Amino acid sequence: MIVGAVVVTVLAALQYRWSNQVSEATSVRLADSLQMSMINWHLDFFRDLSEIGLAMRMDPDSRYPDELEEYARHFAEWRSQAKYPGLVSNLYILKSSDQALRLNPTSRQFEPDVWPPEFRSLREALQYALRRSSPDRAGEGFPESFFSLGNPLAGWRFEPSIPALFHPIVSRAPAREQPEPGDWVAIELNRTVIETQVLPALAQAYFRGTEGLDFEVAVVSGNQPGDVIYSSDPGFGGQEIANADGIMNIFGHVQDTVLGSPIHVFHRPSENTGPAAFGGISWFPLLQEGAEDQDWKLVVRHRRGGPLGAFVVEMRRRDLAISFGALFLLVISMAMVIIAGNRAQRLAKLQVDFVTAVSHELRTPLTVISSAADNIAHGVVEGKQQLAQYGTVIRNQARQLSGLVEQILLFAATGQGRQRYDLRPLEIPELIEAALASTRELVQSAQFTVEREIAPDLPAVRGDLSALSQCLQNLITNAVKYGSEQRWLGVRARVLETSMGGREVQISVADRGIGISPAELPHIFEPFYRSPSVAAAQVHGTGLGLPLAMSMARAMKGRITVTSQPGRGSTFTLHLPAAEQATRKTDVEAKAVGVSQ
Ligand code: ADP
């Protein structure tokens, strides 16, 4: 028992500790997997944009303005194979003056135009970027690989405010007509296609669970707070960035709120400077951010209330509840096994006591009978009168023996439900007389005074005469056995209203004998139970009288109650429902109710 309790406590403590470790590991795993999803999302988004930039790449020996035709051709090729052909809304060649050329996709010709108004505000920034990245500034600490005019693969600049991609027009081959310094190719992107096609498809690809999106996903612009470019859930991304599980500056830094620190990532230009940097590989050479405060942010939050910690805590609480539930069941089953074991042990002891008691009960009358028979056989008995006395002794002992055997057989029959009862209306005085008549000899030989108090006009009860009379006989026999020197026995019968509104007949058998201690009272109706004091005092008995009486009372829809005071006496009361409200079953038979144990 104690060992079991210790084991369960240790298991509970270990379970608690392990679940802590598991939930920490789960947080790390979830954060890792979220980060991977964000990185993949990022790669894919960049791939979609980079493809346009790559398609616009010029042959190294192409010459301006032949390049214009080449741009138109390359663009048409890109469009014919692109995943999102509508992603580009306009293609411009921006001159350093206010002039511009715009590609007419139908005629595939560039047509004269002017800088679109929304581009104009960027003009300063573009010029500045171009100046900063000119070759003669190399070595001054500016990252070169991106803005180098000599590197046609570098320098695509994403402007989130439009959005658009810009690239300075460079031509390394000698030109028939040099482009004016500060000319740009500008790819104006269709924000509606980004919002309604590109970003939703990316969210589905990287944040989908078994039942729709596991995460709420939004792309917001750092430019104006609350400028939501895309949101998987209405409202998400507006004000709620702070409690997100992950935030990534799409064109700047990756910010990981789970790990806590911003991480410098891939598409940052190579830190190498100088001519060698041309050969260096950087992760996203085709794109770089515009002003950092305009950066787009990818914001994700787990659907179950983010930040991720809350989800893990909830998972841990659920796991703990399940495992503590299992431990609780284990404790209950252990307790039940212990209780059942104790009961089985006690029952085994009771049965051994029973066998001892029965053997003892058999031995006494058998000894008397056999010595009386010996005396007769050896001619020790003389005269008719003495012979008659011996005959009476032998008959009484034999009756006691057969009574004992009857009781054991009866117990076996009721225990197995084989006992049949003949139910019929019974008058109470008739019943009491039958019981007293059967025990008269015993009562008289023990010199007991019997006091009767039978109320007039008692209603009949419904029952089996011999069973109920046997039940009362057992109570009367006990009153005589345990009635001590007072030698008094009271039989009382009355009728009472029950709390259920019916009437009940109560027949009590009282004595002024040894009484029963409160500790023993709960056990006296258990089969084979005998009070240790009476067993020690060698009072005859088997421990079957009361269980038998109770099972017979129950078969008649009645019960037996007891009140007792040690040293003052006991009162056993048989309660039987009055016949008018007894069940209207025909007088056929009712099965005995098994003795409760
Ligand atoms: P038995 O009398 O054969 O021992 P019972 O089932 O009739 O078996 O009674 C069980 C126990 O209940 C007795 O051993 C005795 O200790 C206690 N008991 C029963 N009736 C009385 C009584 N009237 N007064 C005191 N103790 C009693």
Side-chain angles (χ1 to χ4, degrees), residues 478 481-482 511 516 524 529-531 534 541-543 545-547 570:
N478 279 353
K481 278 195 324 195
Y482 309 113
D511 64 63
I516 306 162
I524 57 173
Y529 179 83
R530 303 206 69 214
S531 147
V534 305
T542 54
L546 286 181
S570 316

Side-chain angles (χ1 to χ4, degrees), residues 532-572:
S533 59
V534 305
Q538 305 240 318
V539 182
H540 297 309
T542 54
L544 291 180
L546 286 181
L548 259 177
M550 180 63 101
S551 80
M552 287 185 285
R554 283 191 176 151
M556 315 291 143
K557 297 198 171 359
R559 66 204 157 97
I560 297 173
T561 55
V562 57
T563 56
S564 184
Q565 270 188 306
R568 306 284 300 268
S570 316
T571 303
F572 285 81

Side-chain angles (χ1 to χ4, degrees), residues 302-492:
H302 199 279
R303 229 161 245 296
R304 293 220 213 120
L308 264 186
F311 173 56
V312 173
V313 166
E314 183 199 313
M315 260 175 49
R316 172 163 179 253
R317 204 175 298 141
R318 208 181 47 205
D319 286 354
L320 271 181
I322 291 173
S323 34
F324 280 131
L327 274 182
F328 180 67
L329 279 182
L330 184 72
V331 169
I332 299 269
S333 357
M334 266 170 63
M336 279 168 70
V337 167
I338 290 169
I339 291 171
N342 282 349
R343 272 176 76 156
Q345 229 174 12
R346 219 165 40 130
L347 200 67
K349 184 181 176 305
L350 285 174
Q351 279 171 340
V352 170
D353 291 353
F354 168 73
V355 172
T356 318
V358 167
S359 320
H360 185 76
E361 292 292 298
L362 289 174
R363 207 167 45 202
T364 318
L366 279 176
T367 316
V368 174
I369 290 171
S370 96
S371 64
D374 270 354
N375 286 349
I376 297 169
H378 293 130
V380 178
V381 181
E382 287 171 0
K384 247 183 162 182
Q385 202 189 351
Q386 225 184 356
L387 201 62
Q389 276 175 357
Y390 269 79
T392 314
V393 168
I394 292 173
R395 190 194 59 202
N396 287 346
Q397 294 300 322
R399 272 190 194 158
Q400 198 178 325
L401 272 182
S402 70
L404 181 66
V405 171
E406 278 301 312
Q407 200 176 41
I408 294 169
L409 288 177
L410 196 58
F411 176 75
T414 50
Q416 293 164 5
R418 280 190 284 112
Q419 186 64 17
R420 305 280 167 190
Y421 296 106
D422 178 13
L423 302 183
R424 63 184 176 84
L426 298 176
E427 294 302 330
I428 300 301
E430 174 197 7
L431 174 62
I432 292 175
E433 280 320 313
L436 282 172
S438 324
T439 49
R440 180 163 299 125
E441 223 168 293
L442 173 78
V443 173
Q444 276 175 0
S445 61
Q447 299 173 339
F448 265 59
T449 315
V450 179
E451 199 177 300
R452 287 175 225 201
E453 191 188 323
I454 313 237
D457 301 329
L458 284 174
V461 295
R462 196 174 160 76
D464 179 299
L465 178 61
S466 87
L468 283 181
S469 146
Q470 180 69 53
C471 179
L472 285 179
Q473 280 172 47
N474 288 6
L475 300 182
I476 294 168
T477 312
N478 279 353
V480 173
K481 278 195 324 195
Y482 309 113
S484 74
E485 294 309 309
Q486 299 295 320
R487 297 177 196 281
W488 178 89
L489 144 68
V491 179
R492 190 169 126 163

